[in-house]
Amino acid sequence: MGVTTIKEEITIKFAGDSGDGMQLTGTLFTENTAIKGMDLATFPDFPAEIRAPIGTLAGVSGFQLHFGSRIIYTPGDDYDVLVAMNAAALKTNLGRLKKGGTIIANTDGFDKKNLRLAKFEDGAQSPLEDDTLEGYDVFKIDITKLTRACLVDTSLGTKEKDRCKNMFVLGFLYWRYSRDLDPTIQYLKTKFKSKPEILKANIMVLKAGYHYGETTETFSNQVEVKSAPLAKGVYRSIMGNQALVLGLVTAAQKSGLPLFYGSYPITPASDILHGLARHKNFNVKTYQAEDEIAAVCAAIGAAYGGNLAVTGTSGPGLALKGEGIGLAVMLELPLVIVDVQRGGPSTGLPTKTEQSDLLQAVYGRNGECPLPVISISSPVDAFYTAIEACRIAVEHMVPVILLSDGYIANGSEPWKFPKAADLPAIEAKFAKERTGNGEHFLPYRRDERHVREWALPGTRGLAHRIGGLEKEAETGEVSYDPPNHEYMVKIREAKVARIAEHIPEQKILNGPEEGDLLVLGWGSTCGVIESVTRDLVSHGHKVAHVQLRYINPFPRNLGDILNNFKKILIPEINNGQLSKVIKSTYLKPVEQYNKIQGIPITKAELKAQILQVLKAN
Amino acid sequence: MTKPLTINPLKAKDFATDQDVRWCPGCGDYSILKQVQSVFAELGLDKDEVVVISGIGCSSRFPYYTETYGMHSIHGRAPAFVSGLKMANPDLDVWMVTGDGDGLAIGGNHMMHILRRNFNVNIMLFNNQIYGLTKGQYSPTSEEYKKTKSSPYGSLDHPINPIAFALGCDASYVARSMDRDPKHLKAMLHRSHKHKGAAFLEIYQNCNIFNDGAFFEFTDKATKADRALFVEHGQPLIFGKDQEMGIRLNGLQPEIVNLKHGLFTEDDLWIHDERDIHKANILARFSEISGLPRPFGVIYAIDRPTYEEVAFAQLDDVKSVKGEGNLDQLLAGNMNWEIK
Ligand code: SF4
């Protein structure tokens, strides 16, 4: 028997053809990891094409998992372990495997045909046979053959047998990482309840993979990662889009309003529509509109009628919704616009992540058209920030743009989910009916926060007209009066600015109150900034991390925080959009770190950048 | 749906706002506004239950002049606002005002979808075959080679046929009327309101500034009887000053026949059937066959479930199968673990 090595953290990349079931393998391994009490973060990496040809580089589907006995902030930079089901999977992922890392290769996926499809040179030797993989720990297993052999006595066809291959990999990894098979067996039992033959086969192959590790002692030893110091409590695993769905449903329940979600399918936001469509028993109305414009306009119609109205999209869709959002600003109705950002401009990189809609969100409409913009910084945070977007919209009678991105949408992490009763209520106040011949209803009369009343059609005595033409203060009638227009522009701006008094002050996530460098982040860069700055702080650097949720208005104390540091560094997955806003708002010089490759910033990259900025002191 | 007021039923003038009406003097919109206000009164509508929603254009100023709830929205998108509002509150009595540009150019897509979805709404499309608010460019319903500011040598666009368009979108109700026949217009507004579903009513409207007289042949005393055909369910298609002309179907071809010559009687004529989509399609194309009169009235009307009906029924169905949603269960999901 080998010995068991204890490790603090491990990153595994599962890679194979779209049909190899790597997403499921990754997800099941993740669940198994979570149950053991480790902290983790995951990120899937789907091919851009829906059905890319089998075996090709374009068809590689990946799932990255980073887990550890310490708090995990990102899905990891480079992998310790690469599972490569075929030659294409190896080729696309080898670059990010750590020196000396482990490769588990399915030899059957490296035959002549697979090599050709993966664009290895004609007549080239398999990389498993030549010196390509020198210095790595390579385990060559004919997973296809072993799986078929294990199922030889079943009545399944070859295709069905081959579909169990991923269970062999999973079983093998479970042995390697000293895991129990039970949770996965339970999962399979539910999944294949009505297909006993397939269920049996999957369990047989899972166990075969496990025993293969045990009996062949392929790895000289087993590896164990201890549980992480996570807060006590009950957890689940959650993806960003899923958390956003739960946040919207929760906001609806907490405000007592039915949820209306108008949307047009667009990557990577469609899963929000799919998710909400399943929750009709929560009074959720999903409406798949004819286009992006109709989606936002229908949502405004629903808001006018008293629903908690939300529309969701990605960058190109936000551009189309611009005019409708402008109307919502004029009508001063509550509306949440979710933008799950992706690479742009134009169609850009639909399946890749980017933070390049910030300026569009803040400024991208005709006229003076301010609205609150808030951003999500992790999959779990999507839940809380979605609720916050709804709160601001409803309590301040304003459209709110909620920024997520592809990295958050598809990433997952463990979540110590709250009790519904512990979440605060959202107060929706409607104008009250009027009977008799009292004074005329003034739809644009404002309270001390500059907020007008929500007056629903059907309410007795409140009949009034609203529209996109400039309105007279208080009465809301059409007005072309010059001073009135200026007043209304200013009051709409002041209304949004005043929200700063109703949001929390900005906190420093980690690091000192003042020092050499403030790393200012927003959105999905949170994990990598947190991880790197914690490391640097623990090594005595005077570096702090501030992660913005509120981008418009900024938290009221942000300027003071910025003043307490010698330098400010803003890392973004764009060409410097928050940097522009910070510079123009606070007239402060900032250092930028921009990576615009459709992929997240790695810890190594950020750390190098920070050290360089510090050195230039 | 709409609760009639038991006391003090409102009069037409109670549906007028205190806003100055800004249409050009002599514009056909005035007549339509007047008929709508009196129909609201005749129907005994409660102004707090009525919502008038429009897009952009001359006609779309309409909500400002009706003392009800109203929204003057953005160009072409009124159907989308209506759809969302109906999903929030299906009990409201919603009237949508649009024009040939608003409803068939920039908003053609949304018009198509509100018709096929069949939200319960009264759609009034004011067709004046011109862009009025932007001062006189050709519209999607303008005739070919029309000379306008944007087409000094004649427009090249083939016009759209609004009735055929609506039928093509599977509208459950398609009708046509005109600004200059108040009685007919009121009758059509009543019918639209009675129809459950998206009621598409095209209203010929004279723009006396940029396209004066576009429909005079149908509205002028001298020519109206010969050029306008008023269809009624179950009645033969008859027109002419002395009701001497009829239309019969020869196979799929409509033909004008003279009832005075003794060759044909009413029994030979086409009997209008609102529920016959094939005949409705032929009626819709009368405007394209030279010599045939222009049909007015309810061209097509059938019963079809409204979108909001099925949407709310589905909510109830899901609730009855899954039970009222439990937020704690939803947040917990189906796979948990505990850190002790
Ligand atoms: S431009 Fe034509 S349609 Fe517009 S208000 Fe004047 S007359 Fe009426």
Side-chain angles (χ1 to χ4, degrees):
Chain A
M1 280 296 270
V3 286
T4 300
T5 318
I6 306 292
K7 290 227 169 163
E8 199 185 18
E9 58 181 311
I10 292 171
T11 299
I12 304 183
K13 176 77 173 238
F14 301 85
D17 200 70
S18 302
D20 285 336
M22 288 297 101
Q23 300 300 330
L24 179 64
T25 312
T27 308
L28 289 173
F29 192 88
T30 301
E31 271 184 10
N32 197 288
T33 306
I35 292 169
K36 285 279 216 171
M38 290 162 235
D39 196 16
L40 59 89
T42 75
F43 188 65
D45 168 13
F46 307 111
E49 281 77 23
I50 304 295
R51 295 266 183 275
I54 293 175
T56 60
L57 296 167
V60 175
S61 165
F63 186 97
Q64 189 171 328
L65 165 66
H66 181 195
F67 60 99
S69 56
R70 56 175 196 76
I71 300 299
I72 298 295
Y73 299 101
T74 74
D77 286 4
D78 294 339
Y79 332 128
D80 300 286
V81 181
L82 171 63
V83 176
M85 296 299 282
N86 64 15
L90 181 81
K91 196 172 187 183
T92 37
N93 287 289
L94 189 58
R96 285 187 54 194
L97 183 63
K98 283 181 190 162
K99 286 272 155 311
T102 303
I103 296 172
I104 300 163
N106 174 23
T107 53
D108 184 55
F110 287 80
D111 61 11
K112 274 214 173 65
K113 187 175 167 207
N114 272 292
L115 291 174
R116 195 183 69 239
L117 287 167
K119 300 233 164 6
F120 281 90
E121 265 168 48
D122 260 355
Q125 247 200 332
S126 159
L128 300 182
E129 306 306 330
D130 64 15
D131 55 5
T132 313
L133 303 181
E134 228 177 70
Y136 295 107
D137 221 0
V138 187
F139 297 95
K140 297 178 251 182
I141 309 172
D142 193 337
I143 295 170
T144 313
K145 194 169 134 200
L146 289 166
T147 301
R148 285 182 192 165
C150 165
L151 298 176
V152 73
D153 290 332
T154 66
S155 62
L156 299 183
T158 312
K159 250 198 183 152
E160 283 167 315
K161 283 180 187 155
D162 284 357
R163 247 187 240 134
C164 299
K165 271 187 313 203
N166 60 341
M167 287 301 124
F168 191 95
V169 177
L170 195 59
F172 184 67
L173 287 170
Y174 282 165
W175 176 79
R176 163 77 162 167
Y177 294 100
S178 333
R179 300 292 178 80
D180 306 328
L181 303 183
D182 277 353
T184 297
I185 292 173
Q186 283 313 317
Y187 165 86
L188 292 170
K189 279 184 177 160
T190 331
K191 180 167 180 191
F192 296 118
K193 210 179 352 188
S194 56
K195 295 175 184 154
E197 191 78 351
I198 306 252
L199 169 65
K200 210 174 121 207
N202 272 284
I203 295 176
M204 278 169 74
V205 176
L206 181 74
K207 287 186 174 164
Y210 190 91
H211 295 140
Y212 180 81
E214 200 172 40
T215 50
T216 63
E217 292 203 21
T218 314
F219 291 111
S220 54
N221 52 21
Q222 280 180 289
V223 177
E224 195 182 338
V225 176
K226 300 278 185 203
S227 59
L230 291 167
K232 282 187 182 129
V234 182
Y235 284 72
R236 65 173 289 178
S237 164
I238 192 113
M239 282 170 74
N241 270 346
Q242 214 181 357
L244 212 152
V245 163
L246 297 189
L248 294 176
V249 174
T250 302
Q253 298 275 308
K254 284 285 163 181
S255 60
L257 303 172
L259 180 67
F260 176 89
Y261 186 75
S263 191
Y264 185 77
I266 184 169
T267 303
S270 304
D271 279 341
I272 302 172
L273 175 61
H274 307 160
L276 285 170
R278 296 175 50 221
H279 299 317
K280 290 195 192 290
N281 56 331
F282 287 86
N283 243 335
V284 173
K285 302 169 212 172
T286 51
Y287 182 70
Q288 185 175 313
E290 58 270 26
D291 61 25
E292 296 281 358
I293 298 172
V296 67
C297 294
I300 294 170
Y304 182 45
N307 279 182
L308 177 61
V310 182
T311 182
T313 189
S314 184
L318 185 63
L320 284 166
K321 291 181 197 296
E323 190 193 11
I325 297 170
L327 179 70
V329 167
M330 282 297 255
L331 300 182
E332 304 191 36
L333 284 171
L335 172 71
V336 173
I337 305 110
V338 180
D339 175 10
V340 187
Q341 302 165 95
R342 65 190 216 187
S346 185
T347 308
L349 302 167
T351 56
K352 301 288 168 191
T353 198
E354 207 163 273
Q355 299 184 292
S356 50
D357 291 342
L358 182 129
L359 293 178
Q360 184 182 204
V362 177
Y363 301 117
R365 290 161 298 281
N366 68 303
E368 298 290 346
C369 200
L371 48 70
V373 177
I374 66 175
S375 72
I376 297 169
S377 55
S378 75
V380 164
D381 187 52
F383 174 78
Y384 299 98
T385 309
I387 297 175
E388 179 65 349
C390 295
R391 182 190 72 82
I392 294 174
V394 167
E395 295 185 357
H396 295 265
M397 291 291 285
V398 69
V400 176
I401 292 182
L402 174 61
L403 293 174
S404 178
D405 68 28
Y407 186 51
I408 292 167
N410 293 316
S412 79
E413 55 186 357
W415 180 31
K416 186 171 165 264
F417 54 91
K419 281 259 171 296
D422 295 340
L423 297 164
I426 293 174
E427 247 192 281
K429 272 193 252 161
F430 298 108
K432 294 207 172 57
E433 64 166 44
R434 291 165 177 231
T435 43
N437 294 329
E439 54 184 304
H440 223 58
F441 172 60
L442 295 172
Y444 278 75
R445 176 172 281 174
R446 296 164 194 281
D447 67 11
E448 69 293 345
R449 298 163 306 158
H450 302 317
V451 174
R452 81 178 189 98
E453 285 184 294
W454 196 354
L456 304 187
T459 315
R460 180 134 337 268
L462 301 188
H464 66 283
R465 275 67 52 194
I466 53 176
L469 288 170
E470 183 58 283
K471 4 205 72 48
E472 188 177 69
E474 308 249 317
T475 66
E477 304 289 8
V478 176
S479 167
Y480 294 99
D481 177 49
N484 177 75
H485 175 54
E486 186 164 309
Y487 172 79
M488 289 300 279
V489 165
K490 298 281 190 194
I491 198 93
R492 284 188 289 261
E493 185 192 38
K495 177 175 103 166
V496 173
R498 201 162 272 194
I499 292 170
E501 294 165 22
H502 302 270
I503 58 175
E505 289 205 337
Q506 182 65 49
K507 287 203 175 71
I508 295 176
L509 205 51
N510 68 73
E513 301 269 311
E514 51 180 57
D516 297 329
L517 179 69
L518 177 71
V519 185
L520 180 61
W522 70 281
S524 64
T525 52
C526 186
V528 67
I529 300 175
E530 187 165 3
S531 168
V532 172
T533 51
R534 275 184 193 277
D535 178 30
L536 291 171
V537 168
S538 73
H539 285 88
H541 290 281
K542 289 191 177 127
V543 173
H545 173 202
V546 161
Q547 188 72 15
L548 288 175
R549 171 188 269 183
Y550 304 92
I551 291 172
N552 192 38
F554 284 126
R556 51 195 181 277
N557 62 330
L558 181 62
D560 296 339
I561 294 178
L562 299 182
N563 285 333
N564 285 338
F565 291 86
K566 289 188 191 135
K567 285 187 175 180
I568 300 160
L569 173 70
I570 303 183
E572 292 181 86
I573 310 175
N574 62 33
N575 206 18
Q577 301 198 0
L578 180 67
S579 298
K580 282 198 178 73
V581 182
I582 290 288
K583 280 190 277 192
S584 65
T585 309
Y586 295 103
L587 303 177
K588 286 194 77 79
V590 304
E591 308 268 345
Q592 296 179 201
Y593 176 56
N594 303 111
K595 179 175 180 183
I596 323 164
Q597 302 174 11
I599 47 174
I601 296 170
T602 65
K603 284 188 278 188
E605 288 163 347
L606 184 63
K607 187 170 176 182
Q609 187 67 27
I610 293 176
L611 290 174
Q612 196 187 321
V613 173
L614 284 172
K615 214 156 87 199
N617 243 345
Chain B
M1 310 287 292
T2 327
K3 291 167 241 152
L5 277 186
T6 42
I7 32 159
N8 291 337
L10 300 174
K11 302 200 178 59
K13 68 170 174 27
D14 297 321
F15 285 102
T17 62
D18 57 2
Q19 297 293 295
D20 295 331
V21 182
R22 288 167 180 248
W23 290 313
C24 308
C27 174
D29 289 351
Y30 283 95
S31 160
I32 304 174
L33 177 62
K34 197 163 161 234
Q35 308 329 319
V36 168
Q37 287 167 345
S38 46
V39 167
F40 280 10
E42 286 163 22
L43 286 167
L45 300 188
D46 175 351
K47 62 182 185 173
D48 293 322
E49 298 285 340
V50 176
V51 188
V52 182
I53 296 191
S54 65
I56 295 291
C58 287
S59 55
S60 288
R61 292 301 182 92
F62 213 89
Y64 292 122
Y65 310 139
T66 41
E67 184 55 52
T68 60
Y69 282 91
M71 186 198 286
H72 179 217
S73 73
I74 48 177
H75 206 7
R77 320 297 173 201
F81 295 99
V82 168
S83 307
L85 178 60
K86 276 282 174 180
M87 286 295 288
N89 185 351
D91 294 336
L92 294 168
D93 189 356
V94 180
W95 297 70
M96 190 186 112
V97 183
T98 182
D100 39 324
D102 189 63
L104 295 172
I106 190 166
N109 186 32
H110 310 301
M111 183 64 84
M112 161 163 71
H113 294 284
I114 196 168
L115 292 178
R116 75 174 170 88
R117 289 190 182 114
N118 202 34
F119 277 98
N120 187 15
V121 52
N122 310 299
I123 299 171
M124 298 181 279
L125 184 138
F126 298 11
N127 182 5
N128 55 16
Q129 299 188 342
I130 196 78
Y131 284 172
L133 193 67
T134 50
K135 300 195 167 52
Q137 301 83 6
Y138 61 95
S139 92
T141 54
S142 298
E143 64 279 12
E144 275 170 8
Y145 300 109
K146 189 177 187 68
K147 290 199 168 133
T148 70
K149 270 190 201 138
S150 60
S151 55
Y153 301 107
S155 76
L156 304 174
D157 293 34
H158 180 74
I160 193 165
N161 175 333
I163 299 291
F165 172 84
L167 290 171
C169 299
D170 256 355
S172 63
Y173 172 99
V174 180
R176 181 191 279 138
S177 190
M178 55 177 107
D179 54 359
R180 300 211 171 184
D181 189 336
K183 220 175 116 208
H184 187 260
L185 178 53
K186 275 170 51 173
M188 286 301 103
L189 291 168
H190 275 276
R191 264 303 299 274
S192 288
H193 188 256
K194 215 170 123 195
H195 180 75
K196 185 175 64 67
F200 179 87
L201 174 62
E202 180 192 18
I203 305 172
Y204 283 171
Q205 173 248 324
N206 191 41
C207 169
N208 56 313
I209 301 295
F210 296 111
N211 201 18
D212 197 23
F215 306 109
F216 278 3
E217 57 175 319
F218 311 115
T219 59
D220 240 32
K221 271 226 175 75
T223 49
K224 182 174 175 180
D226 288 333
R227 297 296 303 130
L229 165 71
F230 291 90
V231 299
E232 260 180 71
H233 185 62
Q235 299 299 318
L237 301 192
I238 295 183
F239 65 106
K241 262 189 210 66
D242 304 314
Q243 299 282 291
E244 76 283 16
M245 311 291 266
I247 305 224
R248 70 164 198 149
L249 263 181
N250 183 3
L252 291 175
Q253 292 304 317
E255 280 177 359
I256 298 180
V257 296
N258 194 310
L259 300 171
K260 288 278 150 69
H261 292 170
L263 222 57
F264 297 98
T265 68
E266 276 193 18
D267 294 345
D268 298 309
L269 297 184
W270 166 342
I271 306 295
H272 182 47
D273 180 356
E274 288 172 357
R275 288 165 310 214
D276 187 331
I277 185 67
H278 304 295
K279 284 182 169 169
N281 281 325
I282 300 173
L283 274 174
R285 298 288 172 184
F286 271 30
S287 53
E288 293 154 26
I289 303 170
S290 92
L292 289 182
R294 192 69 50 95
F296 292 85
V298 179
I299 312 282
Y300 183 64
I302 51 151
D303 254 345
R304 186 148 75 75
T306 66
Y307 189 96
E308 56 269 47
E309 267 172 8
V310 290
F312 281 87
Q314 191 177 54
L315 285 180
D316 291 342
D317 279 357
V318 175
K319 276 181 227 164
S320 70
V321 174
K322 288 171 106 177
E324 199 73 43
N326 177 313
L327 189 55
D328 277 316
Q329 268 171 26
L330 182 71
L331 297 184
N334 35 29
M335 217 283 295
N336 300 133
W337 66 92
E338 194 175 352
I339 306 279
K340 290 184 188 133

